[in-house]
Amino acid sequence: MGIFDKLRNEFIDIIDWVDASDEIIVWKFPRYQNEIKMNAQLTVRESQLAVFMNEGVIADIFKPGMYTLSTQNMPILTTLKGWKYGFNSPYKADIFFVSTRQFVNQKWGTRNPVMFRDAEFGPVRLRAFGSFAFRVQDAGKFIKEVAATNPEFTVEGVNEQLRNVAITRGMDAIAQAKIPVLDLAANYDEVSALITQKIQPEFNELGLELTKFLIENISLPPEVEAAMDKRSSMGIVGNLGAYAQFQAANAMEQAANNPNGGGLAGAGLGAGMGMAIGGQLGNVFQPNTVQGNDGPPPLPAAVQFFAAINGQQAGPYTIDQLSQLVAAGTINQQSQVWKKGMAAWAVANTVPELAALFNNVPPPLPSV
């Protein structure tokens, strides 16, 4: 500092601070060799406190207002210095201005998912983030515990510590609340109040007050959220059989409107497939019915045969259909037939089930 700066400071007797930043918590008034003139004018604005420190000891704290620094306004410092007279000479002291306004929108959030035990889903991992606001409650304690003698102390200097407290104690509060995971979103206010109550004492230890704590989101890992979305979709669909029929109807409509689907033929094919699929899926999802003992048992399936006609395999045919083929002369006694369970093809008249079909067939007409 040059000679002119020294001389100019000797005549400065107005002490104040106009905060041009929203990040500064503590600001030290710059004074040449820390010399403060007696009867200097001190202006403390709203949302500020002025802390006078003498030889590392806090002497006086001034609230908002205008003061003339004299023995009347500085009783503690006067006692410390042992002044017994008017004393117009300068004295040495550190003057710190402390901002008491709220520092809002301070972000917090979990870096990694935190494991919780949920009554419905068992162990789950949660992420959470939000914001909080704080202010200086005890300027003297804050300077002694945190800011010390730094000429300028900003939010950044304490924000990391406050964020860690919010996350650690906040997650403990969520676990102790034992609120089901699915109900957390509906209880953000309640959880925020629990976390505030949990971490407020630790803020007070630093001379701070937690004025607001907000939870913006509590979320599960993406894969768990995807599984929950599928589960919710099934609940919304409800009757899967009706849903399948609805999907089949949509497929029919799309097939009918598709110019490459063959027009009416495509629409008819889509309709047939839709009805078949819808009917099958509808039957799958219908509740099982158990027949009582009063009704007759279901009819046995008809026996079906394959036959060799004109050197080609044909069928399968029921007994009635084979009787018609025998009457028409398409099949005779020497025709080869086969059914499920037979080891090989056999002549028709050697199969017991078919022997009766040839008893009613007249013999060949005699030659004239």
Side-chain angles (χ1 to χ4, degrees), residues 224-260:
V224 178
E225 291 183 347
M228 292 180 64
D229 290 341
K230 290 182 179 179
R231 177 177 175 179
S232 300
S233 299
M234 292 177 62
I236 293 173
V237 168
N239 188 334
L240 294 180
Y243 179 72
Q245 294 177 357
F246 173 73
Q247 292 289 79
N250 287 338
M252 292 163 49
E253 181 179 358
Q254 293 176 3
N257 295 330
N258 185 4
N260 297 323

Side-chain angles (χ1 to χ4, degrees), residues 26 53 96 140-151 153:
V26 178
M53 185 177 294
F96 294 90
K141 180 182 289 187
F142 181 77
I143 289 179
K144 288 188 293 185
E145 299 291 339
V146 182
T149 57
N150 290 324
F153 191 86

